[in-house]
Amino acid sequence: MSSFSNVLDVTKPDFDVDAYVVKLLREKTLDGLVKEEEEMVSAVRRLDSDVHQIVYENYNKFLTATNTVRKIQDEFTQLDSEMKSLSQSMSSISSLIGSLDGVLGEKRDDILQLGSSYKVVNSLKHIFDLPHVLQSEFDERNYGEVLRMFKLAEESLDQYKDVPTVQSVLQKSKKIYDMTENQLMDQLRNPASGAELVSEAVDLLLTIGRDEDEVQKVLLKCSEQSLREDLKELSTNHSDVLDLVDKASESFIPNLTLIATTHDRLFEEKRGELLTVLRTEMNSLHALVSKVFLSSSDAKDCSIVVRALDRYFRKISTCRHVIPGFDFLPLTIELINAVSKHEIDLSLTRIKEELRNALNEVRKSLINEEKDLSALANKIEQVFVHQVKVEKIDVTFANLPPDEFRQSFALNAHERLLVQAFHKFAELGDEYEAGAGEVRFIDPRVLLVFAVALQHLSNKSAVYLLNLCREQFSLSPEEGLTDIAVVTSEVKTRAQKLVRCYAEKTGLSMGEALIKGCTMLVQPSATPSSVRASVRRLGEDMAACDSELASLLGGDTKPKDTRVNRRPITTALDAARDSLWCERIDFHLQIHFNRASIITAVVKVVLKIFIESIRLQTYSKFGVEQVQVDCYYLQRSLAALVSDEVVVNSMVDQALSSALKRCQDPVLVHPSRLAQLCEQPPANRPSSQASSLGY
């Protein structure tokens, strides 16, 4: 049993890949296998990142060691040359001493005394030159050399401090020493001092015995001021969020890590005070970065924001490894989640703006006599699909545990972005249906194109987009997701409202033109000779509308055979009797997205307006005959377009019946003459016989 478990343990040398895969396939479902794969990929990426970090650190150490070895080799080569030269010089000196020994042997004692006197004089010369030497080193900023030389000379000079000349030299040297010490303290306090100068100043001050607590407090204060200066520069000098993060990565964060390293090297036991200062300043940086991230107002900058966020996350992760006990990763993860929500909200606003722009382009295209309505509807749908489609981006923080980022982001992408985008699209449909503001006088065809785009979206693209999002982020309905049926139902409802609004506005426009043409006609003085021009024009407009719908929605545009066995109305009694049995017309039936259903809705509105206009007037004998001719023409031209010609027959009968009821002595045209009259062109009549009633 132990050997079998070793075979299935990835960390054991006896691990068997095939056995492990067979075990997974046997025990786990498809979702479990997908989850297992994602966990393995995440683990591999983490290990790969750690390996890269270790390789990078070892490479730096290797380069440093190589440079050190090369430098030592060069120094040994130079030292070997100098030793050879020294050996030759010593040999020459030895031979000279041997030759001089015989010559100066008799005066050896005098020479020794002279040499001793020379050393004393030379020492006195160096003592008197000490203040000048120290001042020269001080001016050249060799503060370490000043301190070293004074400490060496002080021990000897203290023995002769009672001598006025020596005392003067000592005082001058002490003054320069004090100036050097003060300069080191100033260098430590100056926030503009670099890290190397600060480290040198601390080392020298501790070397000469300066109080350790005082130096440590000054170092912390100086570090705090330096970090605040960096923050001040960052807050006023950045072009965008990526520029801010880049500059913080080049100045503030390296400065912070160097301060921590220097302090730990010198004052390791006082690390708590250091962490307090670093946390305070890091909180200020985090607040500044958060403010800039969350102040972004353009969704087009989303890619820049994501790059900056990834770079900032990597820098903070590095700080956590470099400075033990200094972990700002939780705050950074909170920022990532907040920025993702902010960018989703911006993207939602941008989606609505892009859709509004696409609809405005459709309006302009229709003004410019664009005929391809299907292409316009596809354009609106594609704009929406392109805007809401979520693309996967390879970023470091995507490898965080699911409960820290991925899970919340996936839910936000589905609910706050995708579902809300459909809702905003539907709200835009409500705006166009209401017809307020700038869309008050739009071409009704815009409503039709918009409705068709919504219908296509609900039938196919909506399901595809929602399922794609769920697959990309491994979401399941148990996580509280909005049901796909709810989204598609909302979109279909808006499409239905828009197509009904299109039918009403188109029918109203055609009906108004029909009534205006009828009321402006002259009083007929004889039996009608043809169909009125406005009625004939209505038939042409209906045919054009039918052709547009056919090109947009498909369907046969060839007129169907409308010959039916209808008993013609020949008397007023027939009209009164038929009005009792005419079909009831429902104006609120659902409009289907096909040519016949939409054109039927338009015809209902037009004929209803025609009927109501007839009911507002009274007619003469010839006026009723004209209405009969017009009704026959409308029945013949419109019945071929609608899905149910009973609707046209019933409403035309109502119109004629209403005209008969409003005439004292009605006489109808014989049915055999109606077809002949419908083929006649409209006659020109003198305008002097115009009547306010129209007949």
Side-chain angles (χ1 to χ4, degrees), residues 170-224:
L170 189 59
Q171 289 176 352
K172 292 179 181 179
S173 300
K174 186 68 168 65
K175 182 179 179 180
I176 298 172
Y177 174 84
D178 293 338
M179 289 171 56
T180 303
E181 187 175 354
N182 293 334
Q183 182 64 27
L184 290 173
M185 290 299 294
D186 293 340
Q187 182 173 296
L188 185 59
R189 294 189 184 97
N190 185 10
S193 300
E196 294 182 0
L197 294 178
V198 171
S199 178
E200 178 190 14
V202 172
D203 287 335
L204 292 176
L205 289 171
L206 294 178
T207 301
I208 63 177
R210 194 67 181 251
D211 183 62
E212 183 175 329
D213 292 337
E214 179 188 5
V215 174
Q216 190 258 348
K217 290 179 180 178
V218 172
L219 174 62
L220 284 181
K221 186 175 181 180
C222 169
S223 301
E224 186 177 10

Side-chain angles (χ1 to χ4, degrees), residues 578-593:
D578 288 352
S579 65
L580 296 175
W581 304 101
C582 65
E583 293 287 339
R584 178 180 176 273
I585 306 302
D586 189 352
F587 287 87
H588 300 286
L589 288 175
Q590 181 180 2
I591 302 176
H592 300 284
F593 278 84

